[in-house]
Amino acid sequence: MSRLRRSALAAAAALTLGSGALAVASAPATAALPTAAIAIGDSFISGEGAGAYTTVVDVNGVAQGFPGWSGANANAYFCHRSANASLQVAALSGINARFNLACSGGQPHDIANASHTRTSGRQVAAQLDQLRAVAQTHDIDLVLVGLGSNNSSFTFGDVATLCANRFIADAWTGWWEFWAYLNGPVPQEPCTDADLASAAEVAAATTETTNALRQLITTLNQVDADGQHRIVFQDYTNPLPPDLYSSFHTQDSRDDTRDKFRELGAERYAGGCPIHRASLAPGHRFSANLGAVVRNSHANLTAEFPGQDLVYLNVQRAFDGARLCENANSPTGALATPVRIMDGPSGTFIQSLSGYDKIAIQRFANTCVTYFQTCQESWHPNAAGHAVLGQCLSAAATTANRTISCIRNANGAITFQ
């Protein structure tokens, strides 16, 4: 029921029967619900990489705090909902409360279904069920949704792990060791477009994402107190630049096309960008494809629901000039978290790989495989990055347009188109 409709009913209840007639008792006016902004989706929305993670209520209604680095990755806490997430730091006029319902690793499946009912899901209820609970006590005016980077065809985490691992293997393993290396051959070539997401997979991801967002729109129309809300569809920004800063090109007279380049590998790891330069262009095309998933989902649903307030927020250039290894002092000043791993679930990140042999490197990599939570922050927006994304969200919340692009300029200022 809208606020206008509630006021009309209250006024009607206050009318009397006329002069000298018994007055009709006034019905208590229904107080307007406090307004809320909600985050729905995956790690780029939940605040993965931004720190200050809060407790998360699991599928059984139990609030889960940090379970320790060796805890199950399925634990609800590892949704990594951050107090520094863009939803929490954005300037949102007229909003009384904010609810982060997003979950790191979230997929379109998780919108209408409990995450744990799919492979590698987390122990949290369906995000629409969480939204319905909020709607019981709040009038939802704004929804920030980030969805599509993880789906049944590919996930951002798998793509990032694939390309980083190939670089590390190439840096530390010589051609003569290749076939005898531990349990067999280790891929060492740069990532190509074929390794990331095919056109068919992008199309399938678009359909999957569109279907999930259709369920979100339908549910909001059913449960929102006044039926008035804006949904902002945010896409993704690449944590790496189109090319690395020149000081990251070579080390010890070796580039990443040579056989075994440990010093260069260590230098790029320290800078937060352990990746072949040849992998960067396919990676940016992959990011553009993620943007297309969100943009096309928005276009499809705008046509299907012409009366809905749906805004597409393009943030693909929001980190321009401040990506990892885009400047000489990286990761200082970068807006994304560097790749960081642990030697076991210790909580202590390895800052430098210099001096380690290939056996130690493999042990570190295995920690990430066994305890993914120890490295899942890698290549996500950090707190400073979410502060920028918060500016982008503030603009998207008030724009009169159906689409808006958020761009970081050379001087660090954020502008909008």
Side-chain angles (χ1 to χ4, degrees), residues 13-190:
L15 292 175
T16 65
L17 294 177
S19 178
L22 181 66
V24 177
S26 296
T30 303
L33 294 175
T35 58
I38 289 180
I40 293 280
D42 58 29
S43 57
F44 278 73
I45 299 297
S46 74
E48 181 70 78
Y53 304 121
T54 61
T55 59
V56 178
V57 175
D58 69 14
V59 71
N60 298 311
V62 179
Q64 297 291 336
F66 179 52
W69 288 108
S70 60
N73 188 253
N75 188 288
Y77 174 84
F78 291 122
C79 281
H80 275 175
R81 295 173 179 169
S82 174
N84 296 321
S86 60
L87 178 84
Q88 306 291 3
V89 299
L92 301 174
S93 178
I95 295 297
N96 302 129
R98 307 174 194 219
F99 297 88
N100 189 346
L101 311 181
C103 186
S104 184
Q107 297 191 15
H109 166 280
D110 303 346
I111 298 301
N113 305 279
S115 178
H116 70 90
T117 60
R118 65 168 173 84
T119 301
S120 301
R122 292 203 159 94
Q123 295 286 328
V124 289
Q127 292 189 26
L128 290 185
D129 286 344
Q130 298 177 60
L131 181 150
R132 291 185 183 99
V134 173
Q136 294 293 313
T137 57
H138 289 77
D139 173 18
I140 300 170
D141 280 356
L142 179 69
V143 177
L144 169 64
V145 58
L147 202 65
S149 71
N150 308 309
N151 52 77
S152 58
S153 297
F154 56 81
T155 72
F156 170 80
D158 287 345
V159 167
T161 300
L162 173 74
C163 298
N165 280 351
R166 286 187 177 187
F167 173 81
I168 294 296
D170 196 13
W172 267 266
T173 307
W175 68 266
W176 46 272
E177 302 168 290
F178 183 84
W179 295 103
Y181 187 73
L182 295 177
N183 297 320
V186 177
Q188 301 182 39
E189 64 276 8

Side-chain angles (χ1 to χ4, degrees), residues 204-342:
T206 301
T207 299
E208 197 174 342
T209 302
T210 299
N211 290 341
L213 294 176
R214 181 183 296 109
Q215 292 174 297
L216 170 62
I217 293 170
T218 301
T219 300
L220 273 169
N221 288 339
Q222 293 169 349
V223 304
D224 182 28
D226 62 5
Q228 300 175 25
H229 45 259
R230 168 166 289 190
I231 306 177
V232 175
F233 296 47
Q234 180 188 299
D235 64 8
Y236 301 90
T237 187
N238 195 310
L240 301 171
D243 195 10
L244 307 180
Y245 188 78
S246 59
S247 62
F248 291 102
H249 288 185
T250 62
Q251 183 62 261
D252 194 29
S253 300
R254 290 176 178 263
D255 63 19
D256 62 16
T257 66
R258 294 282 301 271
D259 178 53
K260 198 187 310 189
F261 40 88
R262 292 185 178 183
E263 291 304 313
L264 178 60
E267 180 183 48
R268 287 192 192 167
Y269 176 85
C273 57
I275 195 167
H276 292 95
R277 288 178 69 195
S279 296
L280 292 171
H284 275 267
R285 287 190 287 272
F286 174 75
S287 294
N289 283 336
L290 294 182
V293 168
V294 179
R295 182 178 66 252
N296 291 336
S297 295
H298 172 264
N300 293 339
L301 293 167
T302 296
E304 187 174 340
F305 298 93
Q308 295 289 311
D309 188 1
L310 310 178
V311 173
Y312 166 49
L313 171 58
N314 182 335
V315 298
Q316 293 176 56
R317 294 189 56 196
F319 289 5
D320 279 8
R323 295 182 171 94
L324 290 161
C325 297
E326 196 161 16
N327 298 291
N329 61 345
S330 182
T332 301
L335 296 174
T337 56
V339 168
R340 288 294 179 261
I341 52 180
M342 300 179 189

Side-chain angles (χ1 to χ4, degrees), residues 162 166 191-198 201 282:
L162 173 74
R166 286 187 177 187
C191 283
T192 66
D193 293 280
D195 295 313
L196 305 183
S198 68
E201 289 174 327

